[in-house]
Amino acid sequence: MYCDSDRTGMTVGTLKRAFLDNLHYIQGKDAYFATAYDYYMALAYTVRDRLVHRRIKTAQAYYEKDAKMVYYLSAEFLIGRLLLNNLINVGLYEQAKQAMADFGLDLTELMDREAEPGLGNGGLGRLAACFLDSLATLEIPAIGYGIRYEFGIFEQQISGGWQQEVPDNWLRFGNPWEIARPDYNVEVKFGGHTEAFTDAQGRYRVRWIAETTVFGTPYDTPVAGYKNNTVNTLRLWSARAGEDFNLQVFNAGDYTQAVANKTFSENISKVLYPADQTLQGKELRLRQQYFFVACSLQDIIRLYLRNHSTFEAFPDKAAIQLNDTHPSIGVAELMRLLIDEHQLNWDVAWDITQRTFAYTNHTLLSEALERWSVDLFGRLLPRHLEIIYEINYRFLNEIRLRYPGNTARLARMSLVEEGNGKQIRMAHLACVGSHTVNGVAELHTDLIKQELLRDFYEMYPEKFQNKTNGITPRRWLLLSNPQLATLITETLGSEHWVTHLDELQQLETQIENPTFQARWQAIKQSNKERLAEYIWRNNQIEVDPYSLFDVQIKRIHEYKRQHLCVLHIITLYEQIKANPAIDIQPRTFIFGGKAAPGYFMAKTIIKLINSVAEMVNHDPDVAGRIKVVFLNNYSVSLGEMAYPAADLSEQVSTAGKEASGTGNMKFALNGALTIGTLDGANVEIRQEAGPENFFLFGLTAQEVMSLKAEGYNPYDYYLSNPMLKKVIDSLISDYFNPREPGIFQPIVNSLLYHDEYMLLADYQSYVDCQAKAAAAFRDKTHWTKMSILNVARMGKFSSDRTIWEYCQDIWRVEPLSITLDVPQAPSPLTARV
Ligand code: 26W
């Protein structure tokens, strides 16, 4: 019965009927009045119907098999646009393109109408999205839980070279992908106090008398696996005022105040915090974290209790992953639910909790480690504070037993940081409450073990694992670089590589094949031309598509060292100014990325890039050989265009600071060569690609630490390197900013007198390495071979591999295949809701 209905059929004919139907009945339009937006919506609903059908089958199978589920808790999911992704994964792309063409519509144009869901800051949120794609593709029973922010990451505009933030009202025109589930609303408490009492069985119990309650409404977005029938769910919570809202109006008689209170609780899911890597300690952020974790845990327990009557099997049926510490309050919340709401005793509850949670760390930067003041915590979550104190009390006793008399260790490991204003260390809570802690690249995991959580590693070495990050080949090759994907499929004889990325290895057989090389080059060229057009339309800068495209796109942060690239650009510029006839490799430097609104240095770096661009792009001596472009409002969609167009990928963080990086993988998988330090996953990318196909420079993490310990003096580098001095002096003299004198002084001062991120120490090594890259680019054939080798050897960095490792080593879950045409599900009358 499902085979070719208008809502599930897969042929061009059915798609066309379904599309017209949706245009008519959902958008309420006909061909006379429909806009491109209506067409987009009608097509999106057409695709959604096909997903919903598979979603229902998937949920049935998980329930009937009582499958162990993965619950991925993340404050961010940076999923990107969904229409093309869904069309590709569900196997409808060609048909949809044909169907639209038959109506005289251009699919690409419709896709452009989709608002971008920017529900994340950067790497951490995008990783969560890649993981969802891989989980569904590997047929793993899983749900992603997060927050349905009404405003995602701000829109970045550039005005006078400075970043300006504009609210991102992404839901303005509605969201065709989500389905609200008000029937699964859950209640979340905040504030108030606790009371101890003895229950009828004579047990010591605690009740939490909250001050306010908020409701969470789940919104489900389907997540389709690649050409299988699995459709998992991303369940995002939206805050709604409590139902007692109307009652309060009667009691208080103050209608407007009651409405204002409603707004206050609904603020919880209003906006994504745009600070990446810096904790602000804001109450609303803690509210957000507890809100989505409390909603998710209630939901997880509800699902579990459909099939079980005790909690004994809970850890065998639920694996909860904490994406960084943002959801780590979940450890205390699960304890509270099990003890206070379900009457388990402490030891049983703690055993279940520890066997259920696992924690991924994504950063070593100390300013990014979450700590919440005990005051704030006690005010907002009084019961959780008690539970954390109890966890800590027992934990410290354990340490005392293992390391008698070692008070320094107790202080270092405690969940509570003493000192002026006590703070809860969320990384310690996550670590103690989890059975496994993982880093996101080999180097990063080593540094967690040796530095960040060294004491914990000594005590529980078996807890620690590495899981090197990955990216989904569906979005980051198939979708974003269709020409390269087609060439690979033709060469390998099938598209099996899309789900078995190691097979890219076979491309190595083509390395000496001139026809293959030529096609490879032509594809890169066409991707570069597309980006050049975009740059022309958006920046009114004419760039040479035959120049070397040198690209750095990522959040703007001092540790990522965008300003090291600027120092290099100024170096080249100085060389040209000194000798305009110099033979120099033409290059286009392309930057993109957002700065946290309160991060002054990062914002100044954006201004610096734009000021240097202004000068270099218009200087007749440069004669167009160097162009500098800042792409405003970097996003997933912009990445999809930029990665395939890059020749050179800039991965230049100070060694030991970038946990992994995933942009580095996206570039390499699209045939860019990397210039980078031995940081994060760069180390492994270089290992895979072969050191001869990677431009390495800079200090190692060990060298960074020793140099710091010895006493690093950046000023010595400035004095002893004439070119470096010249470059910095050009900043001091306001050469690039004659009308705004002094604006770059903060950068200069930071470099000369602190240089936390050791740009001056790495400067010469970087400039030399760049010269090698430029020389290598001139040998087109050799460069092309290196590019092919990079792609052929990136198989390891599929998030399918990463997720499979999590499944095996951390979650202990198995795939479950979904068949569409199985006997009917129970009728609505007999199924339990
Ligand atoms: C509390 C403020 C805050 C907000 C976000 C602190 C830290 C974060 C994230 C953990 C930052 C982040 O996105 N980290 C990145 O995670 C990626 C995925 O593992 C890695 O590839 C990046 O190297 C890492 O910077």
Side-chain angles (χ1 to χ4, degrees):
M1 95 182 247
Y2 284 121
C3 302
D4 196 38
S5 92
D6 277 7
R7 298 201 124 171
T8 58
M10 303 286 283
T11 62
V12 176
T14 5
L15 286 185
K16 286 165 73 174
R17 282 204 309 277
F19 174 82
L20 290 177
D21 203 65
N22 287 333
L23 187 66
H24 192 97
Y25 289 106
I26 298 185
Q27 291 309 106
K29 291 283 187 80
D30 62 16
Y32 288 118
F33 295 100
T35 61
Y37 164 73
D38 292 316
Y39 292 131
Y40 157 69
M41 292 292 273
L43 182 57
Y45 281 116
T46 304
V47 178
R48 193 182 89 171
D49 283 339
R50 273 86 193 147
L51 297 177
V52 163
H53 172 53
R54 288 165 175 76
R55 170 64 208 152
I56 288 171
K57 292 288 174 189
T58 304
Q60 273 172 17
Y62 294 169
Y63 170 63
E64 278 164 8
K65 297 265 155 56
D66 191 22
K68 180 167 186 181
M69 303 276 302
V70 173
Y71 299 111
Y72 199 82
L73 267 55
S74 179
E76 306 186 6
F77 286 93
L78 194 46
I79 55 181
R81 287 172 167 170
L82 292 175
L83 178 54
L84 181 54
N85 180 228
N86 285 332
L87 282 172
I88 289 175
N89 279 20
V90 89
L92 274 175
Y93 176 69
E94 292 302 334
Q95 297 95 301
K97 195 171 158 184
Q98 183 61 51
M100 294 304 101
D102 289 355
F103 290 129
L105 298 170
D106 175 19
L107 179 56
T108 318
E109 210 171 290
L110 301 197
M111 292 186 314
D112 229 33
R113 297 289 127 186
E114 180 168 357
E116 177 144 343
L119 308 187
N121 273 287
L124 165 127
R126 183 53 232 177
L127 183 76
C130 285
F131 280 5
L132 292 181
D133 183 271
S134 285
L135 282 162
T137 296
L138 291 172
E139 307 183 307
I140 302 299
I143 298 181
Y145 281 112
I147 302 173
R148 180 178 176 271
Y149 299 108
E150 220 173 297
F151 292 85
I153 186 73
F154 62 86
E155 182 197 325
Q156 178 193 54
Q157 293 180 1
I158 301 295
S159 157
W162 294 94
Q163 166 177 298
Q164 227 89 68
E165 300 91 25
V166 178
D168 161 48
N169 193 359
W170 73 290
L171 290 167
R172 193 171 40 217
F173 295 119
N175 174 2
W177 301 109
E178 66 184 12
I179 301 181
R181 304 257 181 232
D183 44 333
Y184 294 144
N185 270 10
V186 295
E187 197 178 337
V188 178
K189 303 197 272 190
F190 285 100
H193 63 279
T194 65
E195 282 175 8
F197 67 102
T198 310
D199 71 9
Q201 285 82 45
R203 293 175 300 196
Y204 172 83
R205 302 270 304 276
V206 176
R207 69 168 77 85
W208 174 16
I209 319 288
E211 187 192 327
T212 56
T213 66
V214 177
F215 283 83
T217 304
Y219 285 72
D220 288 352
T221 301
V223 181
Y226 182 69
K227 293 190 180 172
N228 56 28
N229 294 315
T230 296
V231 173
N232 284 336
T233 296
L234 169 58
R235 178 161 281 185
L236 301 179
W237 299 97
S238 179
R240 290 283 164 268
E243 316 250 276
D244 53 356
F245 164 62
N246 289 323
L247 246 171
Q248 284 170 4
V249 175
F250 280 116
N251 294 344
D254 186 348
Y255 174 75
T256 38
Q257 189 51 50
V259 174
N261 290 345
K262 179 177 154 77
T263 309
F264 182 73
S265 37
E266 296 185 350
N267 270 342
I268 289 180
S269 54
K270 189 65 73 182
V271 60
L272 167 77
Y273 273 91
D276 180 79
Q277 310 272 9
T278 17
L279 177 65
Q280 293 179 319
K282 289 282 195 310
E283 174 175 333
L284 182 58
R285 185 174 166 99
L286 182 57
R287 279 182 187 272
Q288 289 186 335
Q289 295 184 351
Y290 178 63
F291 166 73
F292 98 87
V293 167
C295 290
S296 308
L297 283 175
Q298 285 183 67
D299 204 50
I300 292 168
I301 289 176
R302 176 183 62 80
L303 289 169
Y304 172 80
L305 290 178
R306 288 172 57 121
N307 282 328
H308 300 264
S309 53
T310 74
F311 280 90
E312 209 184 308
F314 191 74
D316 305 319
K317 295 295 166 187
I320 306 182
Q321 192 66 30
L322 303 171
N323 198 22
D324 213 276
T325 53
H326 315 156
S328 59
I329 185 63
V331 170
E333 173 67 358
L334 183 58
M335 286 298 283
R336 186 188 73 81
L337 290 169
L338 295 178
I339 294 170
D340 294 355
E341 311 271 324
H342 296 278
Q343 285 112 62
L344 269 58
N345 74 42
W346 182 279
D347 293 325
V348 172
W350 185 239
D351 177 66
I352 291 174
T353 299
Q354 280 189 316
R355 286 163 55 213
T356 300
F357 284 104
Y359 155 57
T360 306
N361 172 283
H362 295 268
T363 180
L364 298 159
L365 300 190
S366 58
E367 65 269 31
L369 295 180
E370 289 195 299
R371 298 179 175 89
W372 294 106
S373 94
V374 165
D375 277 358
L376 170 60
F377 222 102
R379 222 172 352 100
L380 225 54
L381 304 169
R383 180 58 181 141
H384 297 78
L385 185 58
E386 288 176 4
I387 290 172
I388 289 172
Y389 275 142
E390 181 67 21
I391 294 172
N392 197 37
Y393 173 76
R394 291 163 183 251
F395 174 56
L396 293 180
N397 277 341
E398 217 182 292
I399 303 173
R400 280 189 196 97
L401 274 177
R402 276 282 295 276
Y403 306 91
N406 193 339
T407 50
R409 175 182 277 270
L410 283 178
R412 288 199 308 269
M413 296 184 76
S414 174
L415 307 194
V416 184
E417 185 168 307
E418 306 284 339
N420 39 1
K422 287 194 198 176
Q423 307 218 294
I424 307 293
R425 297 161 162 160
M426 300 309 275
H428 292 198
L429 175 63
C431 181
V432 171
S434 298
H435 57 83
T436 303
V437 176
N438 77 281
V440 291
E442 276 164 20
L443 174 67
H444 172 234
T445 302
D446 288 344
L447 292 169
I448 288 176
K449 292 180 189 171
Q450 298 313 323
E451 311 286 330
L452 189 72
L453 298 174
R454 178 186 199 123
D455 294 318
F456 292 83
Y457 176 62
E458 272 170 26
M459 214 163 140
Y460 315 104
E462 67 290 341
K463 250 192 204 194
F464 290 79
Q465 291 190 22
N466 176 246
K467 291 286 165 281
T468 298
N469 283 166
I471 57 172
T472 169
R474 272 70 67 186
R475 186 175 291 271
W476 298 114
L477 183 47
L478 198 52
L479 178 155
S480 62
N481 201 343
Q483 296 183 77
L484 190 61
T486 302
L487 174 61
I488 294 171
T489 299
E490 275 180 40
T491 309
L492 269 51
S494 87
E495 54 163 50
H496 197 242
W497 62 270
V498 175
T499 48
H500 299 80
L501 202 64
D502 284 325
E503 293 180 5
L504 291 182
Q505 261 176 22
Q506 295 165 34
L507 293 174
E508 290 197 31
T509 59
Q510 301 301 311
I511 191 112
E512 301 295 342
N513 175 347
T515 324
F516 186 80
Q517 291 171 357
R519 289 183 70 186
W520 193 271
Q521 280 172 9
I523 290 166
K524 179 62 81 182
Q525 200 51 43
S526 118
N527 292 334
K528 289 170 74 174
E529 268 152 29
R530 178 153 168 260
L531 182 60
E533 264 168 49
Y534 178 89
I535 291 172
W536 174 245
R537 268 185 284 123
N538 286 272
N539 298 58
Q540 286 76 52
I541 299 173
E542 202 182 328
V543 304
D544 171 9
Y546 291 94
S547 67
L548 190 169
F549 276 22
D550 176 324
V551 187
Q552 189 171 29
I553 42 180
K554 51 180 77 216
R555 286 298 288 250
I556 311 294
H557 205 293
E558 286 165 283
Y559 87 83
K560 295 179 187 280
R561 303 200 294 190
Q562 279 90 358
H563 46 337
L564 180 59
C565 300
V566 175
L567 296 183
H568 172 239
I569 296 171
I570 300 176
T571 304
L572 294 177
Y573 180 66
E574 293 290 351
Q575 287 166 359
I576 292 174
K577 293 305 278 183
N579 172 16
I582 193 173
D583 178 25
I584 201 169
Q585 167 59 44
R587 279 210 208 211
T588 304
F589 292 94
I590 298 165
F591 295 87
K594 293 176 184 179
Y599 189 173
F600 170 74
M601 280 298 238
K603 290 181 131 177
T604 307
I605 291 172
I606 293 178
K607 172 67 180 175
L608 176 64
I609 294 168
N610 284 312
S611 298
V612 171
E614 192 62 26
M615 191 65 77
V616 169
N617 294 348
H618 298 110
D619 191 322
D621 283 346
V622 175
R625 288 172 293 174
I626 290 182
K627 287 281 168 74
V628 181
V629 178
F630 188 90
L631 295 173
N632 70 298
N633 204 35
Y634 177 57
S635 61
V636 170
S637 314
L638 198 45
E640 287 163 10
M641 174 155 38
Y643 292 114
D647 294 307
L648 194 60
S649 155
E650 296 276 356
Q651 307 301 334
V652 303
S653 53
T654 315
K657 299 292 179 190
E658 190 70 271
S660 161
T662 43
N664 46 4
M665 302 169 188
K666 292 162 197 168
F667 279 112
L669 185 61
N670 284 278
L673 302 191
T674 306
I675 181 162
T677 48
L678 282 179
D679 200 14
N682 295 354
V683 177
E684 292 157 75
I685 289 175
R686 177 166 173 269
Q687 226 161 56
E688 295 290 309
E692 67 284 8
N693 303 306
F694 187 106
F695 297 98
L696 178 70
F697 76 95
L699 299 173
T700 63
Q702 282 307 324
E703 288 166 347
V704 164
M705 285 188 276
S706 345
L707 185 52
K708 280 238 165 99
E710 278 162 32
Y712 167 57
N713 188 2
Y715 206 84
D716 295 343
Y717 291 82
Y718 167 75
L719 289 181
S720 62
N721 185 332
M723 186 45 109
L724 175 58
K725 180 160 189 306
K726 205 166 184 179
V727 168
I728 301 239
D729 287 347
S730 75
L731 298 180
I732 296 175
S733 72
D734 296 317
Y735 180 88
F736 296 100
N737 49 308
R739 283 189 304 268
E740 297 154 286
I743 55 171
F744 299 130
Q745 205 54 47
I747 293 182
V748 170
N749 287 341
S750 138
L751 291 180
L752 290 182
Y753 306 111
H754 313 282
D755 200 14
E756 171 82 23
Y757 299 106
M758 301 189 145
L759 282 80
L760 301 203
D762 277 347
Y763 167 82
Q764 195 56 52
S765 162
Y766 180 57
V767 168
D768 294 344
C769 191
Q770 281 286 15
K772 282 187 206 152
F777 191 71
R778 295 190 156 199
D779 182 346
K780 279 275 132 8
T781 307
H782 185 62
W783 184 276
T784 302
K785 286 184 196 171
M786 291 198 288
S787 164
I788 297 169
L789 283 179
N790 261 268
V791 176
R793 297 173 178 180
M794 285 306 110
K796 170 174 175 184
F797 303 103
S798 167
S799 47
D800 298 345
R801 186 270 312 151
T802 312
I803 283 298
W804 188 245
E805 290 179 2
Y806 276 90
C807 288
Q808 299 281 300
D809 309 337
I810 302 181
W811 301 329
R812 317 261 155 162
V813 292
E814 304 280 330
L816 200 175
S817 295
I818 307 301
T819 8
L820 283 192
D821 297 308
V822 288
Q824 281 306 293
S827 87
L829 293 176
T830 53
R832 219 151 45 92
V833 182

